[in-house]
Each structure stands twice: as C-alpha cells, then as structure tokens.
C-alpha cells in the first residue's frame, strides 16, 4: 500500500501533469480508508472510472495489487468489488492480461460471507471464458487447485463452482487432475464443502466425457446421495436429473435408479420434498418405461407422505406428471393410479396441500375428457369450491376456463355455479367479500351473456348489502366489470339499475348510488356520465339527509373533469353554490371545496371521505 500511496501523496508538491494523473488513486485510497462505509462503497463503484484515468498498465501494477492487499472491508463493499472485477478485463488490457484479475478475486472467493464468495465465483467464471487455453492452464487452473486444497472450507466451497468452466478447454493430463480434485471435495470432511460439490455435480457431469461420467461421477453421486447430512443428499437429487439425461436407458436403470428409489423413501422429509419438487424433470430424464415401472409408485407414496410439505410439492406436480405420461393408456393410468390419491388430498388436513392441488387439478379435465371430468372431477371441484380456505376457492375459480372448454358452459352452470351463488349469499360477510373479489375473473372466463343471465343480479344485490365493506367492494367490482365488458354493456345493463337506487328509502343505499357513479364515470366516459348520471346526482342535492348532500358535492368534484364546460357552468356550478349555503357545516365545506377546484387524489372511490358514513 505504501508504494501506491507514496507517489499519490507527492503529486500536489510536484504539480506536473504526470504527477496530477496520480490523483484519482490517491482519492480512492483516501475513500477506501474512510470510516464511512458508504464512502468506501461509492469509491468501489467508481473503480472503472479510476481505472480509465490510470490507464491499463497502472491499473495492473498499482490498482489491482492495492485492492488485493486491502480485502478486509465490510461485506457490502467486498460484494461490490467482486461484481466490478468481473467486468474489468477491458480495463487491464484485454484477454491477454485477464489473469491479472485473478489474485483479488481469489482472495474474495475465500472470505467468510457467502454472498461475497458467490459473486467472486461468478466473476471468476466470467473471466475464465476470456482466457486462452494456454493462459487457462497457466493461471486459472492453478487458482482452482489452490482454492480446492485451501485450509479453510470457504475456499474449497468456492472451488466447486469453477471446475466446469475450466475442464472443457484443459489438456487430457490436466483434466485428470481436475477430476481428482473434484473427487476429493465430494468426500471432504466438512459438510458445507460436500454440499457445494453436490450442488455442482450435475453441472460438472455435463462437461465430462461419457466414460468419465459412468466411472467417476455416478459413484460420487451414489456416495453423496447416501451422505449422513440430509442437506447434501437433497442436492444429489438435483444432480440426478443432469446425470440421467446423459445416460442410456439401461445405464439409468443400473446406475441411477437404485439411488433414486432410495431418495424417494429417504428418512428426511427434505430429501423426499426435493424428489417431489424435481419430479417432472426426473420423469423426462429417465423416460416413459422407467416412469411407469418406478416413478408412478414413488409418486403415489409422495402424495400420501406423512409430511404436508412433501404432499404439497407432489400435488403441485400432478398435472405435469399426467401431461408427460405416454399417450397410449394415459387415461386409464391416471384414473386407476393417480386419481384415487388425488381424491384423498381434496380433504387433506393441511390447507397448503389443498391449495397446491386446487392450482393444478382443473387442468386434468383437458387430459381426461368430458365424461371423466363430469363423473369424477366435478365432485372434487365442488368440494374445493366450498373449502374453508380462500386460497383453495380462488385457485378453483381462476381456472374455470379449463373446465369450460371441456364440458361447456351449460354443464358448468348446473354443477359449479350453484356453489358459487351459495358462497355469494353466505351468512359470513368475509366469504361474500372473497367471492366479490373473484367476480371480474369469473366474468372474463364465462362471457357477458352467461354473466348477465346468472351472476348480474348477485352483483347488484351486493350494492345494498348491510355490511359497508361489501358495498364498497361491490362498487369497485362494477368498475372492473365495465372495463371488461365495455361502456355499451354498462349503459344498458348496469347504469339504469344503479340509478334506480337513488330513490331508495335507505340513505346508505342512496349514498352507494353516488359511490357507484364516482367509480363508473371514468370507465363509462363523458356521454353516459353527462346524460344519465349527472341528472341523478344533481337531483340528489336536495336530499333530506346531510350525508347524502355532502357526498353529492364530492361526487360533482370527482366527475367534474369528465364533464364538458357547458355542463359544469350551467348545471353543476349553480347546484354547488346552493350547497355552499347549506345549513349543515359538512355540506357547506365540501361544496366550497368542490367550487374552488381542490384536487382529490385520483382514483378515490369516495368511500374514505364520507366521514359520517361509518361502516355498518
């Protein structure tokens, strides 16, 4: 460091142009030594600028040695440094000098903080591609060997991520050494190192020759899959996919399947979870024959596993598993070997399992066809639609279009819609609220004609619900429906029904009319708002209840930007002036606010401002 700082501190005294060019490195050193972490972090982020100022030679001879010597900082500073160095090849003179970046990154790859090590490894992998084969063996492979044989587990874990990038371009002799180093890391005394090796086993297998995969990688895979630590065993399952993709069917049966069968029945639920989570990839990798003989029985066991997390992971894969089965005999296999287990999961005690199943079960209808869907799947959909967990119900409703395509809208209306209507009229207001939130989604899937016939009356009934939260949600629901079905539908179907409520004897329902107008005016546009909605709002200015009158003032302010100037001047302004003289203070206040043009936050539905309309 002294060698770097020396010339920089002398620059001011010399005053020459050559000496002045040392100033950036002096600033960097000062900022890197500053007590303020943010200053140090900022200086690291400016490294490329400083390197440009110094030039490639001085970056190599002064900046990089300095950075290598000063790696003892806060983790966030080191993380930024590791990231910057990955893009530094051009700043040190190009690929011929890429090896100059290895020393600081090697140091960063040994630090205690995992994210810093990972970023350093990522940068090293990037730089390795810029080495020539000769430079790779001269500089990069020795670095990998040093890391792989380091005293601290941190360096050995980092080495695991570097084997696959240097192996393909190494000579035959060096390839043998690289494989030997990787083998030793797979049997390392430290579980963290074995875990890192297991996570990179599949990646390393992909760049090896097939003979080496069979003779060296498969035994390593078998050992790691039998490791005493479950965190190592579960990573071996991930490697199984990559290894199986490289082998023939006979080799998979002989070399891989015994280990995979063992993993599917592992004593640790985490390992079984990983098998369930990777099931689709495993299925594709081992092929249809082994799937039928081995994976289907294993999948059945996972679906009835004692741990809910495993059952949920397997349930998520039901549709993919069925889609990937061979077309010949697929339907029979699903009906006989998968569906009985699915039926049990519908009434599972764990809501995450039921939710996972509900997210994919509707997709089975396209695979099993109309008759099987009506006879076997519809009862399951119905049961899930009535489930106490909102997420289960949502997952069913959001995938209704899959079933609609297979069995048709009429059949759907006879089976599932009565259950939806039942939920929409449930005594518990939170259940009704949940159905309202799904309604735009449902409307989009069922289409406008069916919606008008079956569900429109429900949406209107919610507007006069005795619970405030339902009325509010129903108003927002109408706005979303208009956005989906268009202004002509609104004009013919929704607006007339909303405006009739202006004459309701209950003042809360009359106010709901105003809130609906607030929400619908923007979606419906100027013509409908001016011709149909505005006259009703103006008429309600004479309401006997003050709460209604001051909400009229607020509504006029809300819809004002949509109206043309003539309507504002000739119709709205006189009414607001009259309300501004009202005997009620709140009415007067909101009328004057509307007249003065005070802007409210856009998108407000008007519910929050009605201070005297407390939730019921």
């Amino acid at each position: 460091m002294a060698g770097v700082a020396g010339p920089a501190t002398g620059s001011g005294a010399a005053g020459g142009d050559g000496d002045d060019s040392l100033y950036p490195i002096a600033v960097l050193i000062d900022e890197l030594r500053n007590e303020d972490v943010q200053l140090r972090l900022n200086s690291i982020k400016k490294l490329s600028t400083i390197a440009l100022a110094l030039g490639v030679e001085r970056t190599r001879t002064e900046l990089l040695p300095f950075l290598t010597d000063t790696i003892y900082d806060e983790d966030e500073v080191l993380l930024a440094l590791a990231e910057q160095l990955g893009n530094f090849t051009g700043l040190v003179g190009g690929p011929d000098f890429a090896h100059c970046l290895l020393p600081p990154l090697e140091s960063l790859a040994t630090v205690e903080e995992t994210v810093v090590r990972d970023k350093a490894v990522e940068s090293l992998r990037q730089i390795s591609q810029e080495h020539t084969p000769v430079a790779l063996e001269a500089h990069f492979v020795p670095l990998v060997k040093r890391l792989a044989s380091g005293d601290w587990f941190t360096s050995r874990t980092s080495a695991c991520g570097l084997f696959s990038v240097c192996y393909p371009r190494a000579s035959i002799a060096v390839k043998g050494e690289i494989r030997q180093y990787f083998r030793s890391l797979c049997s390392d005394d430290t579980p963290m190192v074995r875990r890192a090796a297991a996570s990179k086993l599949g990646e390393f297998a992909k760049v090896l020759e097939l003979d080496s995969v069979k003779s060296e990688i498969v035994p390593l895979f078998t050992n790691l899959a039998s490791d005493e630590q479950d965190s190592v065993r579960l990573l071996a399952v991930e490697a199984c996919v990559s290894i199986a993709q490289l082998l023939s069917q006979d080799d998979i049966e002989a070399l891989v399947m015994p280990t995979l069968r063992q993993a599917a029945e592992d004593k640790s639920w985490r390992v079984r979870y990983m098998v369930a989570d990777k099931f689709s990839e495993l299925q594709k990798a081992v092929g249809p024959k082994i799937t039928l003989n081995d994976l289907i029985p294993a999948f059945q066991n996972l679906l009835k596993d004692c741990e809910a997390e495993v059952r949920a992971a397997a349930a998520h894969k039901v549709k993919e598993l069925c889609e990937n089965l061979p077309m010949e005999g697929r339907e029979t296999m699903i009906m006989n070997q998968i569906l009985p287990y699915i039926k049990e999961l519908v009434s599972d005690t764990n809501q995450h399992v039921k939710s996972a199943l509900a997210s994919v079960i509707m997709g089975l209808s396209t695979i099993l066809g109309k008759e099987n869907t009506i006879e076997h799947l519809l009862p399951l959909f119905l049961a899930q639609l009535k489930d106490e967990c909102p997420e289960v119900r949502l997952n069913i409703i959001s995938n209704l279009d899959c079933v609609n395509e297979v069995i048709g809208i009429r059949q759907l209306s006879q089976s599932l819609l009565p259950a939806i209507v039942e939920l929409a009229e449930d005594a518990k207001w939170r259940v009704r609220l949940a159905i309202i939130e799904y309604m735009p989604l449902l409307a989009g899937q069922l289409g406008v004609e069916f919606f008008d016939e079956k569900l429109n009356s429900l949406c209107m009934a919610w507007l006069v619900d005795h619970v405030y939260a339902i009325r509010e949600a129903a108003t927002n629901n109408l706005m979303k429906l208009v956005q989906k079905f268009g202004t002509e539908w609104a004009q013919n179907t929704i607006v007339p029904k909303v405006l009739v409520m202006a004459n309701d004897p209950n003042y809360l329902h009359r106010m709901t009319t105003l809130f609906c107008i607030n929400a619908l005016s923007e979606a419906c546009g100027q013509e409908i708002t001016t011709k149909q909605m505005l006259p009703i709002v103006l008429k309600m200015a004479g309401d006997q209840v003050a709460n209604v009158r001051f909400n009229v003032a607020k509504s006029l302010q809300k819809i004002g930007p949509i109206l043309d100037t003539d309507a504002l001047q000739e119709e709205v302004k006189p009414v607001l002036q009259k309300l501004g003289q009202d005997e009620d203070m709140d009415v007067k206040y909101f009328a004057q606010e509307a007249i003065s043009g005070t802007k409210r936050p856009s998108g407000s539905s008007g519910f929050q401002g009605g201070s005297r309309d407390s939730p019921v």
Side-chain angles (χ1 to χ4, degrees):
M1 274 187 283
V4 180
T9 50
S11 63
D17 289 342
D19 289 330
D20 280 348
S21 64
L22 289 165
Y23 185 66
I25 192 71
V27 172
L28 171 69
I29 292 167
D30 287 343
E31 287 191 354
L32 279 175
R33 291 172 174 163
N34 197 293
E35 290 182 7
D36 186 348
V37 175
Q38 193 58 48
L39 266 180
R40 299 201 300 275
L41 185 60
N42 290 342
S43 75
I44 289 294
K45 289 180 176 177
K46 294 177 202 163
L47 273 183
S48 56
T49 307
I50 293 161
L52 280 170
L54 288 172
V56 293
E57 188 174 341
R58 293 181 65 190
T59 296
R60 294 196 301 267
T61 57
E62 295 180 37
L63 180 58
L64 290 179
F66 170 72
L67 292 172
T68 307
D69 292 341
T70 55
I71 292 173
Y72 51 79
D73 209 323
E74 298 286 335
D75 294 333
E76 58 185 322
V77 177
L78 297 182
L79 179 64
L81 177 59
E83 187 173 5
Q84 290 281 319
L85 290 175
N87 303 309
F88 239 61
T89 305
L91 299 169
V92 295
D96 290 344
F97 298 95
H99 63 272
C100 297
L101 296 168
L102 300 182
L105 284 169
E106 182 177 355
S107 298
L108 288 167
T110 63
V111 300
E112 193 171 346
E113 179 53 49
T114 307
V115 292
V116 177
R117 293 202 309 272
D118 289 347
K119 185 56 73 174
V121 169
E122 187 182 318
S123 291
L124 281 167
R125 288 169 67 96
Q126 194 173 328
I127 290 168
S128 72
Q129 305 304 320
E130 292 162 350
H131 282 67
T132 61
V134 175
L136 194 77
E137 289 197 11
H139 302 288
F140 196 86
V141 173
L143 174 146
V144 176
K145 291 178 181 176
R146 286 195 299 275
L147 289 174
S149 54
D151 292 335
W152 293 95
F153 80 89
T154 51
S155 69
R156 302 200 298 277
T157 55
S158 293
C160 294
L162 299 174
F163 288 102
S164 62
V165 292
C166 59
Y167 186 87
R169 293 191 292 152
S171 61
I172 293 174
V174 173
K175 281 182 176 179
E177 290 179 42
I178 292 172
R179 292 198 304 274
Q180 177 58 46
Y181 272 99
F182 190 81
R183 280 200 303 274
S184 67
L185 293 179
C186 286
S187 55
D188 196 277
D189 292 336
T190 310
M192 284 81 83
V193 178
R194 298 200 301 276
R195 200 155 58 225
S199 71
K200 299 298 179 183
L201 184 65
E203 180 185 287
F204 189 45
K206 288 178 180 177
V207 299
L208 260 64
E209 302 77 12
L210 185 58
D211 289 343
S212 298
V213 172
K214 291 182 188 178
S215 62
E216 298 186 43
I217 294 296
V218 170
L220 293 178
F221 162 66
T222 305
N223 290 336
L224 290 169
S226 307
D227 195 274
E228 61 183 22
Q229 297 282 331
D230 63 356
S231 59
V232 176
R233 299 200 301 275
L234 66 87
L235 289 167
V237 172
E238 205 167 337
C240 180
V241 176
S242 300
I243 294 168
Q245 288 170 342
L246 302 170
L247 301 175
S248 67
Q249 285 285 299
D250 291 341
D251 287 335
I252 292 172
E253 182 61 60
L255 303 175
V256 175
M257 286 314 296
T259 306
L260 185 55
R261 291 187 199 105
Q262 174 188 314
E265 298 173 354
D266 197 277
K267 61 186 178 182
S268 168
W269 72 267
R270 291 181 178 84
V271 180
R272 302 196 303 275
Y273 174 91
M274 184 60 82
V275 174
D277 189 54
K278 297 291 176 186
F279 211 87
S280 299
E281 292 96 316
L282 288 167
Q283 186 184 358
K284 291 174 184 174
V286 302
K289 184 181 175 184
I290 294 174
T291 295
L292 300 181
N293 295 337
D294 284 283
L295 291 195
I296 294 294
F299 192 72
Q300 291 171 340
N301 290 332
L302 293 170
L303 285 174
K304 59 179 184 179
D305 196 275
C306 60
E307 290 291 337
E309 286 85 349
V310 179
R311 296 199 301 277
H316 260 304
K317 300 295 176 181
V318 163
K319 183 187 171 189
E320 287 180 41
L321 170 87
C322 295
E323 284 176 337
N324 293 332
L325 289 172
M327 290 296 291
E328 187 180 345
R330 178 169 71 175
E331 188 179 309
T332 307
M333 187 176 301
I334 295 170
M335 296 299 296
N336 296 336
Q337 300 193 45
I338 303 296
L339 197 61
Y341 295 89
I342 292 175
K343 287 178 178 177
E344 289 181 26
L345 291 185
V346 168
S347 54
D348 198 276
T349 53
N350 186 283
Q351 70 177 45
H352 299 296
V353 176
K354 292 186 290 187
S355 179
L357 181 65
S359 67
V360 297
I361 192 172
M362 307 292 270
L364 293 181
S365 56
T366 54
I367 300 170
L368 292 177
K370 184 174 182 177
E371 288 182 15
N372 286 327
T373 297
I374 293 171
E375 186 179 348
H376 297 285
L377 293 182
L378 274 182
L380 304 183
F381 301 158
L382 199 58
Q384 293 198 297
L385 197 54
K386 293 181 178 180
D387 196 273
E388 60 185 15
C389 174
E391 196 175 340
V392 175
R393 298 196 301 267
L394 173 61
N395 284 342
I396 291 294
I397 289 174
S398 59
N399 289 292
L400 274 180
D401 54 337
C402 299
V403 185
N404 186 12
E405 288 173 16
V406 177
I407 67 173
I409 196 72
R410 290 297 154 198
Q411 180 68 46
L412 190 67
S413 68
Q414 292 166 19
S415 53
L416 294 185
L417 279 207
I420 294 174
V421 173
E422 189 180 323
L423 288 170
E425 296 170 343
D426 195 275
K428 295 174 184 173
W429 71 268
R430 292 182 192 279
V431 176
R432 300 200 300 278
L433 185 64
I435 290 295
I436 294 173
E437 288 168 357
Y438 306 150
M439 197 52 67
L441 180 68
L442 201 56
Q445 294 187 358
L446 300 178
V448 65
E449 288 180 19
F450 187 83
F451 180 84
D452 283 344
E453 183 186 338
K454 300 286 184 182
L455 299 175
N456 197 323
S457 56
L458 268 181
C459 293
M460 300 312 298
W462 284 325
L463 292 173
V464 293
D465 196 279
H466 65 278
V467 177
Y468 168 79
I470 300 294
R471 298 196 300 274
E472 179 183 22
T475 302
N476 292 328
N477 173 53
L478 285 187
M479 179 178 66
K480 291 173 184 173
L481 290 174
V482 172
Q483 289 169 349
K484 200 169 284 285
F485 290 151
T487 55
E488 187 178 342
W489 173 81
Q491 185 175 8
N492 298 328
T493 311
I494 293 295
V495 174
K497 293 179 181 178
V498 167
L499 299 183
V500 167
M501 290 166 53
N503 299 316
D504 196 290
N506 188 327
Y507 86 95
L508 292 173
H509 299 168
R510 298 201 296 277
M511 287 208 304
T512 302
T513 301
L514 293 171
F515 299 151
C516 287
I517 289 171
N518 292 349
L520 295 174
S521 57
E522 193 171 339
C524 289
Q526 187 184 82
E527 186 178 350
I528 296 174
T529 302
T530 306
K531 289 182 179 176
Q532 290 183 259
M533 299 185 194
L534 180 59
I536 299 296
V537 179
L538 297 175
K539 180 184 173 185
M540 292 174 75
D543 198 279
Q544 293 180 344
V545 180
N547 286 50
V548 177
R549 296 200 299 278
F550 78 65
N551 273 288
V552 166
K554 291 174 65 182
S555 290
L556 289 173
Q557 183 181 347
K558 169 74 179 174
I559 67 175
I562 299 164
L563 303 173
D564 59 38
T565 311
D566 291 342
L568 281 173
Q569 292 298 324
E570 296 170 13
E571 299 180 66
V572 175
K573 195 172 180 182
V575 171
L576 285 175
Q577 286 171 341
K578 183 181 176 183
L579 291 174
Q581 305 300 317
D582 198 277
E583 59 186 22
D584 186 275
M585 292 298 293
D586 285 332
V587 178
K588 191 182 295 186
Y589 168 77
F590 283 110
Q592 289 170 349
E593 189 181 53
I595 291 169
S596 63
T598 305
K599 296 292 183 188
R600 286 271 175 188
S602 61
S604 170
S605 66
F607 279 96
Q608 289 78 16
S611 58
R612 293 183 354 187
D613 176 28
S614 56
V616 179

